[in-house]
Amino acid sequence: MTTRTTYWLEYAWLDTHVEPGVAVEVADGRITAVRTEVPSPPPGAEILRGLTLPGLANAHSHAFHRALRSTVQVGSGTFWTWRELMYTFADRLTPDTYHALARAVYAEMALAGIACVGEFHYVHHAPDGTRYADPNAMGEALIAAAADAGIRITLLDTAYLSSGFGEPPNAHQRRFSDGSAQAWAERCSVLKERDHARIGAAIHSVRAVPADQLATVARWAEERRAPLHVHLSEQTAENDACLAAHGRTPTRLLADHGVLGPRTTGVHNTHLTDEDIALLGGTGTGTCMCPTTERDLADGIGPAVALQRAGSPLSLGSDSHAVIDLLEEARAMELNERLRTRTRGHWTAAALLRAASADGHAALGWDDAGAIETGMLADLTTIALDSVRTAGPVPRLGAETAVFAATAADVRHTVVAGRHVVRDGAHTLVPDVPSALTDAIEALRA
């Protein structure tokens, strides 16, 4: 039986401009018509007041890192000291506790206007490295959590086999490892896609997957035409270790083993040489910038402008969830570049919104999402234009208002595949998201 709904958008961002009075007709989760010049809501229409954007895509997430928020802000240190605290939470996860935490985190994402998440998933096994009765119990918990929170997911099942170049996994990392890339491929080949879930692959990093096994992961993704993501040059220490072990940069190492290409996305891409940038751009390899995490971990500012000019599409992620706010990620990418160059206007607001929506969905294998157009998945995110942050600008500057003034707190509605998941700022499936987060995080601390 076909389910039909009409949404009336007070203002809609239609990729190039803001249009007042737009009716979006939806059937079975897809947009069947977009009608402009509709000054008042049609009878029976769902009314979305404010500025409606395409649903946002969070292209890089580690759901359990949400438990670290604020806890890691005590004292000083580096990425590597932060990582040790991260391991203490990873050690405590079970399929049940991970489901509870991820459900709450994904509900927080829906409240922030996010319709789809790319979950970079590497906590596969029990803490001692033994497999659960269902070898994919942890991944299945994440897929179920996304369904329960009303959003889509691309599970980027991650190969993580070593603690460094030539080093076995340490005690914390045993639960991440399948032993070999071939064993990883056999395990994740059992995962099944669903209407709300697609299965992709990830290489944790060049330090975590031996060079002679990179091609196995790349081949698995290529055979399935699946997205392939990799943490790339987030830290200078990784670059130095790769040069010492292989005499080449991480980007060149990935290129030499067939990892780069238009379905591949490098996450962070922070510390790159000019040759690295040319390799990524020339192969159409994407770049997922995670500015709130990169600044939180003192990683540095990546060469996003140069990467895009070279041909690398840009997407955005909230990564460690220091905050979950794709509008802030978009804003931060531009503002970071302003600080670095002392010039303004590297991207238009429209370009930044595309990175947060259409280009993020494409990086996750959802080419049919991220635009308010006929035939696309009916994902809508509505931003209030009358909050203390957004009041004042004229509506035609809605894109600029969304990127440079609004925050996740201004999201009033989130529609995912035609389903009204957030209505008037309240989640329709998870009644009390703050309590769900508190309970799930406290269970890990117990």
Side-chain angles (χ1 to χ4, degrees), residues 72 77-80 82-83 234-235 268 292-300 319-320:
V72 291
T78 66
F79 168 87
W80 307 101
W82 169 90
R83 190 176 71 159
E234 181 178 6
Q235 294 289 322
H268 303 303
T292 66
T293 291
E294 289 149 8
R295 71 192 186 198
D296 182 57
L297 297 181
D299 287 343
D319 193 358
S320 68

Side-chain angles (χ1 to χ4, degrees), residues 79-80 83 87 120 122 124 158-170 173 176-181 184 202-214 217 229-233 238 241-242 245-246 250 253-254:
F79 168 87
W80 307 101
R83 190 176 71 159
Y87 284 150
F120 199 102
Y122 55 81
H124 301 305
T158 304
Y160 194 136
L161 307 172
S162 62
S163 64
F165 297 94
E167 298 295 326
N170 65 33
Q173 298 164 342
F176 306 163
S177 177
D178 289 291
S180 70
W184 165 86
I203 292 163
H204 179 273
S205 55
V206 293
R207 69 178 186 275
V209 176
D212 61 0
Q213 299 187 61
L214 292 169
V217 184
H229 288 215
V230 54
H231 289 134
L232 180 56
S233 291
E238 177 183 281
C242 188
H246 297 290
L253 186 68
L254 293 175

Side-chain angles (χ1 to χ4, degrees), residues 10-11 48-53 327 381-393 398 401-402 405-413:
E10 184 180 23
Y11 296 98
L48 306 183
R49 294 207 178 273
L51 173 70
T52 297
L53 316 169
L327 301 174
T381 295
T382 303
I383 308 295
L385 294 179
D386 58 358
S387 76
V388 292
R389 288 166 293 278
T390 61
T401 301
T407 73
D410 297 309
V411 172
R412 290 295 175 265
H413 303 280

